[in-house]
Amino acid sequence: ISSFGRGTSASLNEFAISCGIPGKMDMTGDAVSESWLIGDLASIVKYNEFDALTTYLLFLRTAHFCGLFNGEQYLSEQNLVEELIDQLLASEKERYQHLETYLIEWKRLRSFFE
């Protein structure tokens, strides 16, 4: 995926979107230092939460294509992620509002692969 230093490679954002998974949503990695300097820690936390979800969903997809999960197991794992987001929204909607945006975008992108 990363081409191991042989020329250009897809970014996490490009790889994710091509797999039907949201990539960068509200900010990119190069904006993190500026957010830190102005004390906008909430944006950094949101950025990292988006990245963690994206990375995990990419792991699941890669593991599925490598044969570690069958189709049913892969769908089950995705459903667990969706359930987690729903639970977080139910418990602290204001704190996790940004994850609702992520979930909506994930569902939209997945629809292209169905």
Side-chain angles (χ1 to χ4, degrees), residues 12 18 23 28-29 34 38-39 43 45 55-56 61 66 71 74-76 89 94 101 103 107:
L12 177 69
S18 70
T28 58
E34 179 64 28
I38 63 172
S43 289
V45 169
T55 301
Y56 183 65
R61 187 161 178 89
C66 290
Y74 176 54
L75 182 59
S76 176
L89 288 168
E94 186 176 319
T101 305
L103 187 58
K107 288 178 180 181

Side-chain angles (χ1 to χ4, degrees), residues 6-7 14 20-21 25 40 49-50 54 56-57 66 69-70 73 78 81 84 87 98-99:
R6 291 176 273 146
E14 293 165 333
I21 299 166
M25 301 265 311
D40 186 7
E49 288 173 350
F50 286 148
T54 298
Y56 183 65
L57 292 171
C66 290
F69 297 123
N70 64 32
Q73 292 167 318
Q78 288 182 87
V81 173
L84 172 64
Q87 289 171 0
H98 60 287
L99 295 183

Side-chain angles (χ1 to χ4, degrees), residues 15-33:
F15 185 44
I17 292 171
S18 70
C19 291
I21 299 166
K24 304 299 180 189
M25 301 265 311
D26 291 337
M27 70 190 258
T28 58
D30 58 343
V32 171
S33 59

Side-chain angles (χ1 to χ4, degrees), residues 85-103:
I85 294 171
D86 287 338
Q87 289 171 0
L88 292 171
L89 288 168
S91 68
E92 293 185 64
K93 180 140 181 147
E94 186 176 319
R95 158 69 178 92
Y96 294 107
Q97 184 67 44
H98 60 287
L99 295 183
E100 185 170 40
T101 305
Y102 188 94
L103 187 58

